[in-house]
Amino acid sequence: EEVRQRAVELYGLMLKYYTTPCYFPPKVNPETRKTKGHSIIMIMMNVSQIMREIDDNPRYDKMIDTCLDTLLNDFVKEDKKALMETVNADGSFWDSPEGRFINPGHSMETAWFMMQEAIRRKDRALMETAIKITRWSLERGWDEEMGGIYYFMDADNKPVLSLEWDMKLMWVHCEAMIALVYAYSYTGNEEYFKEFECIFDYISKHFADPGHPEWYGHLHRDGTPISQIKGSDWKGPFHNVRAFMLLTQLLGDLVKGNYIGGVFE
């Protein structure tokens, strides 16, 4: 109970920071670049989903509704077949290197957050949009030549400013696997499960370090480790542990014949 109450208090503080202007100093001058980003919105949605499980307060559903509305109306761009990382303040497409920037792993992570919400609400339209985002992200992000999912892409296939764009990161593949198993469990389409197996095969061959604990976090494009470091500011246990916990549950349900699609009937 003490830990639960601490979480409730921390969420309240986070909500205050999120909704009160000027609590966080802007990263860039808002007079020159009036934009908004994907990251904080998707994380606020997910944290609210988690908090809703331990605290009976309508503020969580209210925040989830707000985040979903912003993501679906401002960041999901049908014409680009992408979920953008940065858009203009009014939600319109920003034609610049930053505005064309796509993070496939981030998009698929948001997609399965949406899938979880769609299951709770029995919302087929939301589920199908999330699956579409997953499909877009893999189509753009998969490296047909060397395997694995690129870190960053450009919506118009122009050069990406970030020099690490062609790296392969463990967390990206974790989020892809979760989204694909959810998609398979909803649709029953074997292609999604084959893609999941393909990614699992890739991480087993390239991210695992046989005979040693933990996984490499960062690979060159060719699948070789950039360094032997397995814990750093940018690579902790979060994504992998969460992925294997969720995948164990989801695959266990599938073995029992409990497909998500049945929830919507």
Side-chain angles (χ1 to χ4, degrees):
E1 175 55 29
E2 181 183 346
V3 174
R4 189 195 71 83
Q5 188 56 43
R6 177 62 173 155
V8 171
E9 292 170 1
L10 283 172
Y11 182 89
L13 180 62
M14 191 170 75
L15 194 62
K16 185 177 181 181
Y17 272 77
Y18 183 69
T19 59
T20 306
C22 302
Y23 256 66
F24 283 122
K27 292 182 179 181
V28 297
N29 186 341
E31 295 305 313
T32 60
R33 294 186 183 183
K34 296 181 179 180
T35 62
K36 55 185 173 183
H38 166 219
S39 300
I40 187 63
I41 298 169
M42 56 90 82
I43 286 298
M44 283 300 298
M45 181 174 78
N46 183 237
V47 173
S48 299
Q49 289 173 312
I50 299 299
M51 290 302 300
R52 182 175 58 191
E53 300 301 315
I54 65 165
D55 185 39
D56 183 18
N57 189 310
R59 65 181 178 175
Y60 306 119
D61 278 315
K62 183 178 179 181
M63 176 54 65
I64 292 166
D65 287 342
T66 299
C67 293
L68 270 176
D69 182 70
T70 304
L71 290 168
L72 293 171
N73 291 307
D74 294 347
F75 289 87
V76 175
K77 303 296 184 189
E78 290 276 351
D79 59 330
K80 297 292 182 183
K81 293 188 176 182
L83 191 158
M84 313 310 300
E85 288 295 314
T86 308
V87 295
N88 288 315
D90 64 359
S92 60
F93 177 69
W94 180 25
D95 192 4
S96 69
E98 295 95 331
R100 295 191 304 269
F101 184 86
I102 296 171
N103 184 329
H106 220 197
S107 298
M108 287 185 278
E109 185 177 11
T110 296
W112 73 257
F113 293 167
M114 290 180 177
M115 291 177 191
Q116 288 189 328
E117 197 61 28
I119 294 165
R120 182 184 179 93
R121 301 180 182 204
K122 298 184 179 180
D123 186 335
R124 287 190 179 276
L126 179 58
M127 190 73 179
E128 287 161 11
T129 295
I131 291 173
K132 184 163 55 177
I133 292 168
T134 301
R135 194 167 59 245
W136 288 343
S137 302
L138 271 181
E139 287 171 354
R140 284 186 177 276
W142 185 257
D143 184 345
E144 294 289 350
E145 182 182 350
M146 296 186 174
I149 303 168
Y150 289 118
Y151 195 13
F152 303 137
M153 302 298 289
D154 183 277
D156 291 341
N157 297 316
K158 294 180 179 180
V160 181
L161 286 182
S162 301
L163 299 180
E164 68 271 32
W165 73 272
D166 65 349
M167 285 170 52
K168 311 292 170 61
L169 273 67
M170 175 65 181
W171 77 261
V172 171
H173 297 73
C174 286
E175 304 310 323
M177 287 192 296
I178 298 170
L180 285 167
V181 173
Y182 268 120
Y184 170 69
S185 186
Y186 173 72
T187 64
N189 186 336
E190 293 290 339
E191 287 303 313
Y192 291 122
F193 201 79
K194 289 177 182 177
E195 288 171 336
F196 158 74
E197 290 183 311
C198 181
I199 293 172
F200 185 77
D201 182 63
Y202 180 86
I203 68 168
S204 298
K205 288 180 178 177
H206 298 284
F207 286 103
D209 184 9
H212 298 86
E214 254 296 347
W215 306 67
Y216 295 117
H218 309 82
L219 308 178
H220 294 289
R221 184 189 171 197
D222 65 2
T224 57
I226 285 175
S227 78
Q228 301 299 306
I229 294 174
K230 294 177 183 173
S232 68
D233 288 349
W234 299 108
K235 194 271 177 181
F238 171 64
H239 287 276
N240 356 359
V241 172
R242 181 177 69 176
F244 284 96
M245 286 173 63
L246 274 171
L247 289 169
T248 297
Q249 295 166 10
L250 290 168
L251 294 172
D253 284 341
L254 291 174
V255 169
K256 296 173 186 176
N258 298 325
Y259 284 68
I260 289 167
V263 174
F264 294 79
E265 295 176 356

